[in-house]
Amino acid sequence: LGLRHAVVGYDFVFGKGRSGTVATLQTEGQKHGFGVTVVPPVSDGGIVYSSTRIRDLLQAGEPAVAAELLGHWWEVEGVVEQGDRRGRHLGFPTANVALGASLVPRLGVYAVRAGLTGPNGVVWHDGVANIGLRPTFGKDKVALEVHLLDFAGDLYGQTLRVAFTGFIRGEQKFAGLDALKAQISADRDTARALLAAPAGAAGRFGLRP
């Protein structure tokens, strides 16, 4: 490889069974003539910044705390696919976003911002999203459904960026459509409030261009 210098994290491992450590690399560097720089952990209040910590926070339904570590709101990006149009029939049309290999955060309802790319760049819209199995309808596959507030238009086939800003509630099963519609309306109001609050402001961490 013609290696001259390696820069690795303090917890870097490599090789079969992840048996190679930073110390191994330093020893091999001395033996074969390449340098090794080890980047120490970065922490705040005793909490080490790490991808594991961020994943744990997202899976615990703490997107705002995760954003503090990332430096920006955590996003899912995917193509809007054809759904069963159930949201439209309920009066809350949703964009069904393909998750692909994305991390699945805690299942439930979130206040989000949805970004659409236009001729002048990305335009962000306030929204509310549900990510889950939709137990009221007996589904068994995790889906991401996003309702854009105060928006009208066809999103099929477009790429949508969904930035998670606040967790509203966990996923639940409803006795009927009337109860579901009432809860969706309440979730929409809660999302508006969260997105308007200082803690959920777009400029708190910024949205990636």
Side-chain angles (χ1 to χ4, degrees):
L1 296 177
L3 181 65
R4 292 292 178 267
H5 198 98
V7 180
V8 297
Y10 70 99
D11 56 353
F12 176 72
V13 291
F14 65 100
K16 183 178 179 181
R18 299 166 65 86
S19 59
T21 65
V22 169
T24 307
L25 194 63
Q26 290 171 324
T27 298
E28 293 301 312
Q30 293 174 354
K31 187 185 302 181
H32 299 288
F34 62 85
V36 177
T37 295
V38 181
V39 179
V42 177
S43 63
D44 181 22
I47 298 175
V48 175
Y49 286 52
S50 70
S51 58
T52 299
R53 171 68 174 156
I54 292 167
R55 285 194 297 270
D56 289 345
L57 286 168
L58 292 170
Q59 291 169 339
E62 297 284 355
V65 183
E68 291 178 1
L69 303 184
L70 286 168
H72 58 78
W73 298 108
W74 179 73
E75 297 180 22
V76 169
E77 181 175 320
V79 176
V80 178
E81 301 179 326
Q82 183 78 40
D84 52 23
R85 295 179 178 268
R86 188 171 281 113
R88 188 177 301 277
H89 295 319
L90 292 172
F92 302 91
T94 59
N96 296 271
V97 181
L99 284 170
S102 172
L103 167 79
V104 176
R106 180 180 176 183
L107 301 186
V109 179
Y110 291 82
V112 301
R113 286 188 173 83
L116 286 167
T117 301
N120 298 316
V122 179
V123 178
W124 292 93
H125 303 268
D126 289 352
V128 57
N130 180 81
I131 183 165
L133 298 171
R134 297 168 292 173
T136 301
F137 302 106
K139 302 294 184 178
D140 58 2
K141 181 181 178 181
V142 175
L144 172 58
E145 300 173 301
V146 185
H147 172 67
L148 277 61
L149 305 179
D150 308 316
F151 176 86
D154 185 1
L155 298 176
Y156 290 124
Q158 295 192 54
T159 297
L160 195 67
R161 290 168 53 184
V162 184
F164 289 68
T165 63
F167 183 77
I168 296 175
R169 63 173 175 85
E171 190 169 45
Q172 62 189 99
K173 185 175 182 178
F174 295 91
L177 294 183
D178 288 341
L180 175 60
K181 287 173 66 175
Q183 185 61 60
I184 292 174
S185 180
D187 293 339
R188 180 178 59 182
D189 294 341
T190 302
R192 286 187 190 277
L194 288 174
L195 293 166
R204 182 182 176 196
F205 299 110
L207 294 163
R208 295 186 299 109

